[in-house]
Amino acid sequence: MQLPPGGHPVALAAGCQTTGGYPVILHVIAADLPRLGQLRPGDGTRFLRVELEEAQRLLLRQQRELDRLEAALRLRTERFLQEQRRAPAADS
């Protein structure tokens, strides 16, 4: 996050230049990047200081949740496909 003279912070993300020439006021932890990416111009937000260990713990927890979600979706898809194979064809 950089702070230009106008006082409105600017988030530079992937695909942007590495610096806009303004003071860097903070870094966003990886676990919060999806939420930051959903903010619209003018949205308010708060930033809290976290230590490296906490940032790593939050990222690991996020990855475990995503892994569980992926497994649940895979299971649901498999069950759906099995049901479709067992169901009589509508054209018959």
Side-chain angles (χ1 to χ4, degrees):
M1 298 291 298
Q2 295 187 356
L3 189 60
H8 297 284
V10 175
L12 298 179
C16 292
Q17 60 190 23
T18 56
T19 178
Y22 305 117
V24 174
I25 57 172
L26 61 93
H27 293 272
V28 177
I29 64 173
D32 286 339
L33 289 175
R35 282 195 282 187
L36 179 67
Q38 293 179 32
L39 292 175
R40 294 173 288 175
D43 282 352
T45 191
R46 294 180 345 164
F47 296 95
L48 302 173
R49 180 184 175 101
V50 295
E51 298 299 325
L52 177 61
E53 295 79 16
E54 176 73 0
Q56 291 171 334
R57 187 185 67 73
L58 291 168
L59 184 60
L60 287 172
R61 184 174 80 185
Q62 182 183 59
Q63 188 59 53
R64 282 192 304 270
E65 290 171 6
L66 289 171
D67 290 345
R68 280 195 294 268
L69 177 60
E70 181 182 14
L73 288 172
R74 187 175 295 119
L75 180 60
R76 261 190 113 139
T77 300
E78 289 171 7
R79 287 180 181 165
F80 174 79
L81 292 174
Q82 288 173 357
E83 289 172 7
Q84 293 300 309
R85 283 186 225 117
R86 280 186 255 149
D91 296 340
S92 306

